[in-house]
Amino acid sequence: DAGVIQSPRHEVTEMGQEVTLRCKPISGHDYLFWYRQTMMRGLELLIYFNNNVPIDDSGMPEDRFSAKMPNASFSTLKIQPSEPRDSAVYFCASSPGHGATQYFGPGTRLLVL
Amino acid sequence: GQQLNQSPQSMFIQEGEDVSMNCTSSSIFNTWLWYKQDPGEGPVLLIALYKAGELTSNGRLTAQFGITRKDSFLNISASIPSDVGIYFCAGQLMKTSYDKVIFGPGTSLSVIP
């Protein structure tokens, strides 16, 4: 199994630009999570999906952030417009079911100049 | 909201030494998880605990679910250089629906050969 796949691995962009992060969960996993990791705030859950439906987006910082899961094998996290304070590592994770272990992807390191 | 505290924040130890770290919460959890994050990678689950008082081992790692359900401990015996990384505890309160996992701020471990 390839594990959770994220792309790109690194992204450098300028303030105001749109950023799209992509995630392919492990096949058969019903839950997908987006996390943000920074030195100041640690690992924060942004949003999670169950069977492609957003369940809890209370962690999404503001309206500039949006996430979609059009099918069971693909999800995106979009930031528009990006700001320097969005610089962080963004992780996608998936889980096979209710209360089950989450498997993390390698992360996307985002730097907004 | 729910928050986890981990101590120590960082540790520098000699190869071969044993390591102890803990995690405390003001809230009760039904599940405790310990993850390790290698530099440049996503967190990987080490041990999962599901019952108060439970003691579980995974090789040189041993973790315990505190009796009060508000804390957990992780011990690493005979540390080796590849133990270097950040160790996160995480708690989850499973009720009738999926409850999000809350991550601690992490303990950074450095092993001196």
Side-chain angles (χ1 to χ4, degrees):
Chain A
D1 196 330
V4 175
I5 299 172
Q6 290 188 247
S7 64
R9 290 294 307 272
H10 299 88
E11 176 82 24
V12 180
T13 190
E14 291 187 339
M15 184 173 66
Q17 296 297 307
E18 177 180 294
V19 174
T20 300
L21 311 181
R22 297 172 177 79
C23 175
K24 176 176 167 49
I26 294 173
S27 177
H29 283 194
D30 294 333
Y31 288 85
L32 184 140
F33 308 84
W34 282 101
Y35 287 88
R36 178 172 67 177
Q37 186 178 40
T38 61
M39 288 293 291
M40 290 297 294
R41 301 173 68 93
L43 260 172
E44 302 174 277
L45 178 66
L46 301 177
I47 185 171
Y48 78 89
F49 296 81
N50 177 214
N51 291 323
N52 313 339
V53 176
I55 303 299
D56 184 350
D57 65 354
S58 59
M60 295 287 260
E62 48 198 274
D63 291 346
R64 297 185 297 106
F65 285 69
S66 63
K68 293 182 180 179
M69 191 164 185
N71 57 63
S73 58
F74 183 65
S75 177
T76 59
L77 178 68
K78 188 174 293 188
I79 308 172
Q80 166 64 17
S82 58
E83 296 181 3
R85 61 191 167 122
D86 301 330
S87 299
V89 182
Y90 291 82
F91 288 104
C92 176
S94 70
S95 167
H98 183 60
T101 300
Q102 294 180 28
Y103 294 84
F104 282 78
T108 294
R109 281 147 189 82
L110 174 64
L111 177 61
V112 182
L113 302 173
Chain B
Q2 296 168 324
Q3 278 192 325
L4 297 181
N5 299 304
Q6 286 189 247
S7 65
Q9 274 190 322
S10 61
M11 304 177 73
F12 290 82
I13 61 167
Q14 206 75 34
E15 183 178 356
E17 288 183 357
D18 296 342
V19 174
S20 290
M21 59 187 79
N22 66 33
C23 184
T24 59
S25 169
S26 57
S27 304
I28 289 174
F29 290 107
N30 291 342
T31 299
W32 281 98
L33 308 164
W34 284 94
Y35 282 83
K36 183 194 177 198
Q37 185 176 21
D38 289 330
E41 300 296 329
V44 174
L45 182 69
L46 298 174
I47 292 179
L49 303 159
Y50 301 105
K51 199 187 326 184
E54 179 182 353
L55 186 72
T56 297
S57 293
N58 178 6
R60 294 178 296 106
L61 276 61
T62 302
Q64 183 159 26
F65 192 139
I67 290 292
T68 65
R69 294 165 61 195
K70 291 184 177 182
D71 56 10
S72 180
F73 305 87
L74 176 69
N75 295 315
I76 305 173
S77 62
S79 58
I80 58 178
S82 62
D83 291 334
V84 166
I86 302 176
Y87 291 79
F88 293 99
C89 66
Q92 188 174 31
L93 179 62
M94 298 298 300
K95 291 183 269 193
T96 56
S97 61
Y98 190 97
D99 270 317
K100 56 188 179 185
V101 175
I102 309 296
F103 282 85
T107 292
S108 175
L109 177 65
S110 299
V111 179
I112 304 166

